[in-house]
Amino acid sequence: MDNLRYIRETMEGAASFTAVPGWGGMLMGVTALVAAYIASAQPVPTLWLGVWIIEAAVSCLIGAVAMLQKARKADTPLLSQPGRRFALSLSPPLVAGALLTLFLFRAGDVAILPGLWLLLYGAGVVTGGAFSVRVVPAMGVAFMVLGTAALFSPAAWGGVYMAVGFGGLHLIFGAIIAWRHGG
């Protein structure tokens, strides 16, 4: 019996986390494009930041619901060993991004936030994607490249980088994941 359990745990640990939702990623891209449009019309940085914080909460909800639906459709437990590894690897860069956002907002330096967010989100997707299908870490690298470019570009371009990254990259990679990996 112990041998069967060992074999089962080994097979589960070697599997990839395939519940990364392509359709959910595409929906996150659409909401990010809407948020970029709304944020660009805000007269003060506080309101700009508020729009993006609401967008982050909406995207997290979309991602969680879409991931749960994809896992149920595939009859796979969401919190399997690869799923837990994905979540534990994704989370630290996102938590670091939230804390740095608070610090930079209090310091009055919000112009750096688009590059920082894209870079840290990409780092989280790369590390979490190590336990998923190949396209997921590739998406993370694309976010990191875009974030690096944003950090070294004029601050006025931040909104464009946010739209291209959180909007465009989610749409492109979401479509690839939906097409190649079952939704």
Side-chain angles (χ1 to χ4, degrees):
M1 196 61 152
D2 287 339
N3 289 339
L4 290 175
R5 183 180 309 138
Y6 173 78
I7 291 169
R8 182 175 166 205
E9 289 173 359
T10 302
M11 289 177 64
E12 182 182 298
S16 292
F17 180 66
T18 57
V20 174
W23 295 113
M26 292 177 68
L27 184 57
M28 291 164 60
V30 170
T31 61
L33 289 175
V34 172
Y37 176 76
I38 294 170
S40 70
Q42 301 308 311
V44 293
T46 304
L47 294 176
W48 176 89
L49 181 61
V51 169
W52 282 108
I53 288 173
I54 291 169
E55 167 56 20
V58 168
S59 287
C60 285
L61 182 63
I62 291 169
V65 169
M67 206 175 290
L68 185 61
Q69 287 178 337
K70 188 172 180 180
R72 282 186 180 162
K73 184 179 171 186
D75 198 25
T76 310
L78 188 60
L79 295 178
S80 62
Q81 188 173 2
R84 288 191 308 269
R85 287 179 178 167
F86 177 84
L88 289 174
S89 299
L90 176 68
S91 300
L94 300 183
V95 171
L99 292 173
L100 287 170
T101 297
L102 179 61
F103 173 78
L104 291 170
F105 178 72
R106 290 181 61 188
D109 191 7
V110 296
I112 194 173
L113 289 177
L116 181 79
W117 288 343
L118 289 163
L119 185 63
L120 288 175
Y121 181 74
V125 172
V126 167
T127 57
F131 306 102
S132 187
V133 293
R134 285 186 184 177
V135 70
V136 175
M139 178 173 71
V141 169
F143 271 97
M144 291 181 73
V145 168
L146 201 61
T148 302
L151 287 174
F152 293 100
S153 296
W157 298 1
V160 173
Y161 279 109
M162 293 289 284
V164 170
F166 291 110
L169 290 179
H170 274 137
L171 283 170
I172 292 168
F173 283 97
I176 293 169
I177 291 168
W179 175 55
R180 296 183 68 190
H181 301 287

